[in-house]
Amino acid sequence: MGFFTKKSSSRAAVVYDISDNSVAAAFVATDKKLPEIFWSRRYPVVVNKDHGHNSYTRALRRALEVLQRDVLKTGLPLLNRLGIETDSLTVKCVLSSGWHTADTITSRLHTGEAFIPGTHHIEKAQQQAHDDFVSRYGDAFYGDDPAHLSHRLLGIHGDGQPAMLSRKRPVEKLDVHMYISKAPQMVQQILESQLGQTFNRESIDYHSGYETVNDALMGADRSLRDFLVILPSRRKTDVLHTAGGTIRGISSSPLGEDFMIRTISKAFNRPVSDIRSRIELHRQQRHHPDSAQEMDIALSEISRRWTESVYESMRAASNGSLPQQAYLMLPATKTSIVFADFASRLLDKAPSLEVFLINQERFSDYVQNYNKSDHTLTVSVLGSCGY
């Protein structure tokens, strides 16, 4: 069993969508022309900040416990009525932002004299890239077991030019560009302790949320080649740049849903627990006119700051060469729709940019019973089970 590897589908799969806002599960028939979702549930991840640095992992464990009770009570009985044995299930866990980290890293091999690049040089540069990744992010992962790393070679350059081993051309510097992702060991332990009570632990297959949204989008539109994906979450907003079918750049803004909620809480001098309902009332135009004006002012300022920060992340992810298309995937929360309003302001900074909202309708032709799911869970199903 390894992190972020794809296995062949069995007759059915259970797909877990693990984000920092909520957790969800779906039972999916995978032996048909299209994946068919026949059961799903989602529960929020409620964080108690009093628990200190363990607050998020404790919240994840509690949310999974609630979700698993529903899986046992209503999901598995339905599975049994359909004649599908639990032992035949593939369990797919899609880890979104907050539960895994990914980056693109370039490592340079410089021996001090000209050499002809060979396989052993590439392997040495790849190991150096892994070491650089662990050095940069290791403290966040409760351990540095390299078996939990997933990697993809993105490119090889010798002295600044694309290198091919077959050419046997001497170089003085060899640059290896890699995509690497890793999940905290603590998260793996929580998932296996919760899901392993119901399913075979050896059947658990882990997937990066970055790669699943990328695969889901390209599966639905084979013409996609160069685009951005904007992923707001609880604690930040990630930006992915895909070119030629592969994630080539990743950058993050520190401004996410928590930033929005805290800023409005401070502006209204109201507890955080009260703000989500206020945002919903505002969108439904049910606020008192004075309160509505104050909310408009607060959201406008948040939008300005979020747009500036995310725009810089877009430029960083694409090395300053912005694609003409960007896709916005909102988290599965009631207040997240506000980010769609924010994203419209990106057009002020990049007039040629088209921003598309990732919703259920985008995938309606590729999954059966999509109405039994939500857009983020559908993306996890298509990205992990395939088309």
Side-chain angles (χ1 to χ4, degrees):
M1 179 187 65
F3 265 73
F4 305 151
T5 58
K6 292 188 177 181
K7 300 177 182 178
S8 59
S9 299
S10 59
R11 184 182 176 188
V14 54
V15 178
Y16 286 88
D17 177 45
I18 313 295
S19 75
D20 60 0
N21 276 302
S22 61
V23 295
F27 284 108
V28 185
T30 57
D31 58 351
K32 301 182 179 182
K33 184 177 180 180
L34 298 175
E36 180 181 0
I37 299 172
F38 53 86
W39 182 93
S40 73
R41 293 290 188 277
R42 181 177 294 278
Y43 289 97
V45 174
V46 181
V47 178
N48 184 344
K49 296 295 181 62
D50 292 339
H51 289 156
H53 72 280
N54 288 326
S55 58
Y56 284 93
T57 51
R58 289 191 181 189
L60 174 63
R61 188 187 299 274
R62 288 196 304 270
L64 283 171
E65 289 173 351
V66 176
L67 178 61
Q68 281 304 97
R69 285 200 292 268
D70 214 346
V71 166
L72 292 170
K73 184 177 179 180
T74 62
L76 289 182
L78 176 59
L79 200 70
N80 294 332
R81 289 198 297 272
L82 295 174
I84 300 174
E85 296 182 359
T86 304
D87 291 343
S88 69
L89 285 174
T90 298
V91 183
K92 298 177 181 288
C93 291
V94 177
L95 304 179
S96 297
S97 182
W99 304 123
H100 90 287
T101 294
D103 203 350
T104 53
I105 290 183
T106 298
S107 67
R108 169 168 290 181
L109 188 63
H110 187 196
T111 64
E113 59 184 18
F115 62 95
I116 297 176
T119 303
H120 63 289
H121 294 110
I122 305 299
E123 292 175 348
K124 185 175 181 180
Q126 286 179 314
Q127 183 58 55
Q128 183 175 311
H130 281 282
D131 294 342
D132 290 346
F133 181 92
V134 171
S135 176
R136 186 179 301 179
Y137 298 110
D139 289 345
F141 293 105
Y142 304 94
D144 301 325
D145 186 348
H148 294 158
L149 287 169
S150 171
H151 64 270
R152 184 185 303 117
L153 188 62
L154 299 178
I156 306 172
H157 287 78
D159 295 338
Q161 300 297 320
M164 295 180 61
L165 300 186
S166 59
R167 290 181 179 175
K168 306 295 183 181
R169 181 173 64 87
V171 299
E172 294 185 1
K173 299 175 183 177
L174 185 70
D175 293 324
V176 171
H177 191 47
M178 296 188 66
Y179 167 88
I180 301 177
S181 58
K182 182 175 170 62
Q185 292 180 340
M186 180 65 74
V187 172
Q188 180 192 12
Q189 292 167 4
I190 292 173
L191 290 169
E192 291 189 355
S193 67
Q194 293 296 317
L195 309 188
Q197 299 177 40
T198 308
F199 306 107
N200 182 354
R201 294 189 181 193
E202 293 302 314
S203 71
I204 300 178
D205 194 10
Y206 295 92
H207 297 257
S208 159
Y210 294 162
E211 295 173 62
T212 54
V213 65
N214 189 62
D215 292 347
L217 283 171
M218 291 194 300
D221 185 352
R222 303 291 181 180
S223 68
L224 284 180
R225 286 295 178 268
D226 187 20
F227 60 94
L228 297 170
V229 181
I230 304 170
L231 301 166
S233 61
R234 184 194 293 266
R235 289 180 283 180
K236 58 180 180 173
T237 297
D238 295 320
V239 178
L240 316 178
H241 175 223
T242 291
T246 301
I247 297 174
R248 296 280 175 178
I250 301 170
S251 186
S252 296
S253 160
L255 308 185
E257 198 167 5
D258 272 2
F259 163 75
M260 176 182 68
I261 298 297
R262 289 196 308 269
T263 302
I264 297 176
S265 172
K266 184 177 180 180
F268 280 80
N269 194 26
R270 300 290 300 175
V272 168
S273 58
D274 181 49
I275 297 304
R276 294 186 184 277
S277 61
R278 283 178 172 263
I279 293 175
E280 289 184 56
L281 287 173
H282 181 71
R283 289 194 60 81
Q284 297 167 9
Q285 298 183 343
R286 293 167 56 192
H287 257 153
H288 185 279
D290 291 341
S291 296
Q293 185 177 17
E294 292 176 1
M295 182 66 78
D296 281 336
I297 293 172
L299 289 174
S300 178
E301 175 60 17
I302 295 167
S303 175
R304 182 190 65 79
R305 294 173 63 182
W306 182 87
T307 300
E308 289 180 355
S309 181
V310 170
Y311 178 71
E312 291 306 314
S313 294
M314 292 164 58
R315 288 182 54 81
S318 58
N319 287 322
S321 181
L322 288 179
Q324 293 188 338
Q325 294 178 313
Y327 292 84
L328 174 69
M329 189 167 85
L330 303 176
T333 62
K334 291 182 179 180
T335 55
S336 66
I337 190 63
V338 174
F339 286 101
D341 299 332
F342 294 174
S344 65
R345 294 187 59 168
L346 290 170
L347 303 182
D348 296 336
K349 291 184 170 293
S352 63
L353 182 71
E354 291 184 284
V355 181
F356 301 95
L357 185 64
I358 298 177
N359 53 26
Q360 282 290 74
E361 287 67 31
R362 179 170 297 276
F363 304 105
S364 60
D365 293 336
Y366 303 99
V367 62
Q368 297 184 63
N369 293 338
Y370 70 93
N371 58 322
K372 291 188 176 181
S373 178
D374 55 56
H375 66 286
T376 60
L377 187 51
T378 298
V379 164
S380 293
V381 167
L382 289 173
S384 63
C385 295
Y387 282 81

